[in-house]
Amino acid sequence: MHIILLGPPGVGKGTLAGSLAKKFGIPKISTGDIFREAVQRNTVLGKKAKAFMGKGALVPDEIVIGIVDERLQKKDCRNGFILDGFPRTIKQAEALGRITGIDAVLNLKSEDNVIIQREDDKPETVKKRLEVYRRETTPLMQYYEEKKLLKNINAEKSIEEVFEDAVKAMSSS
Ligand code: AMP
């Protein structure tokens, strides 16, 4: 099962990805988590990523794609994976398509103004992150719609209901 989660910042992708990963016994791969850990450990990758993350900007495609490519080769991905926070640009989606096939893209939709303020965020960072999402990531919806992979999920329901709807969408893919 090769699954992508899409949705605006703060909609609850991370939580859902965690629950789905547990249910299906496949890893959740969050590029945001990978970068945060690298920043904490002050690795070469962390040093590169930090400047972009702090501004609410995207880490350059070549870096992210390399990391995901490497991660997907690991043994625990043999039965599938859930991608949380990747792809975020059309370039990333195209690269992913060259690395592996995808079974479904769960698109978490919310009309609500989602709250994305993190403790260490400045208001301009939040604004920038939303702008980047609209400009770079929303085109992915059409990209995957055209490939007949997009499954819209109403993220305004309770966490339990969103989880159930996501499980149904995965099971029918
Ligand atoms: P997230 O926790 O998914 O919101 O990711 C936190 C930050 O990591 C983002 O604001 C970006 O700076 C960076 N990041 C995570 N995933 C990606 C990606 N697929 N492409 C580019 N930058 C990313």
Side-chain angles (χ1 to χ4, degrees):
M1 224 176 273
H2 295 182
I3 305 293
I4 293 171
L5 285 193
L6 274 186
V11 77
K13 286 190 298 296
T15 310
L16 178 64
S19 318
L20 291 173
K22 202 168 159 199
K23 176 166 175 77
F24 291 97
I26 53 180
K28 158 191 158 176
I29 299 173
S30 157
T31 41
D33 285 351
I34 293 172
F35 289 135
R36 274 183 290 275
E37 198 192 315
V39 169
Q40 235 170 19
R41 288 169 41 210
N42 205 23
T43 62
V44 175
L45 173 67
K47 283 178 197 151
K48 278 190 203 158
K50 196 174 177 178
F52 298 98
M53 295 172 78
K55 288 189 295 195
L58 293 182
V59 175
D61 285 334
E62 316 78 71
I63 298 179
V64 191
I65 291 164
I67 286 180
V68 172
D69 191 4
E70 204 175 293
R71 179 66 187 84
L72 293 179
Q73 312 301 328
K74 294 213 172 139
K75 270 197 189 145
D76 65 338
C77 292
R78 263 182 316 201
N79 295 325
F81 51 79
I82 298 179
L83 284 168
D84 162 25
F86 181 94
R88 261 182 160 91
T89 65
I90 294 283
K91 268 201 169 172
Q92 292 179 14
E94 288 171 347
L96 178 63
R98 289 190 289 272
I99 297 169
T100 184
I102 293 296
D103 299 310
V105 178
L106 310 185
N107 184 34
L108 295 182
K109 295 190 87 159
S110 170
E111 301 299 327
D112 278 353
N113 281 325
V114 283
I115 300 156
I116 66 158
Q117 191 100 22
R118 295 173 191 160
E119 255 175 57
D120 51 353
D121 271 350
K122 301 188 196 93
E124 11 351 332
T125 308
V126 176
K127 203 170 149 232
K128 171 83 176 176
R129 195 175 288 135
L130 276 174
E131 250 175 55
V132 168
Y133 171 74
R134 289 201 189 101
R135 192 180 62 239
E136 304 284 350
T137 309
T138 56
L140 292 181
M141 291 176 200
Q142 199 189 337
Y143 179 86
Y144 285 119
E145 173 78 60
E146 283 166 8
K147 295 186 184 298
K148 308 261 181 287
L149 292 174
L150 198 75
K151 301 192 184 267
N152 290 314
I153 295 191
N154 178 357
E156 289 175 28
K157 297 186 186 175
S158 69
I159 291 184
E160 294 78 15
E161 284 172 304
V162 173
F163 175 69
E164 275 174 30
D165 290 350
V167 170
K168 275 185 212 149
M170 282 171 72
S171 308
S172 69
S173 67

